[in-house]
Amino acid sequence: MLNGFRRLRNFFANRSDDTPAARPPARQHNIFEAAAVYVAGRAEDDQQQIDEATTWVSPEALSFGVSELACRAIIVLARERDESPQTVARSLLGLPAA
């Protein structure tokens, strides 16, 4: 028993306080978060935000996320306006009605 206490005391006595703390792993961003930041950056003309979002995921994943965001936005706007998604999309892009 006494030997166990000695080992424990020696363990803590030999421990250095300047041991670097383990860094938590970098936060992973998902494709939808990257797409939201990227599109918001484009809308606000914030190049730093755009550049940051492009480093979070692959270009293909970002493209998919932006496409999904566009689809969801068109659906919401179409419901709010009581119009078809095609009408809303064409209107947002300044295209004539089909």
Side-chain angles (χ1 to χ4, degrees):
M1 178 84 156
L2 193 54
N3 195 20
F5 285 124
R6 261 192 219 127
R7 280 191 213 159
L8 193 57
R9 185 181 66 212
N10 288 339
F11 172 76
F12 285 110
N14 292 332
R15 225 172 133 212
S16 172
D17 282 341
D18 37 300
T19 305
R23 293 180 62 193
R27 184 174 175 278
Q28 295 292 318
H29 299 277
N30 68 43
I31 61 176
F32 300 116
E33 183 179 18
V37 170
Y38 178 81
V39 171
R42 294 281 311 266
E44 297 167 354
D45 198 25
D46 184 343
Q47 190 61 45
Q48 184 177 355
Q49 197 172 345
I50 294 167
D51 293 342
E52 183 178 356
T54 60
T55 65
W56 292 350
V57 295
S58 71
E60 296 81 10
L62 183 60
S63 177
F64 174 80
V66 169
S67 177
E68 186 64 24
L69 177 59
C71 290
R72 292 179 187 194
I74 294 297
I75 290 168
V76 169
L77 286 172
R79 287 178 183 159
E80 286 178 0
R81 296 179 181 184
D82 196 28
E83 296 177 342
S84 74
Q86 182 176 1
T87 300
V88 171
R90 294 181 70 81
S91 170
L92 289 173
L93 293 171
L95 300 173

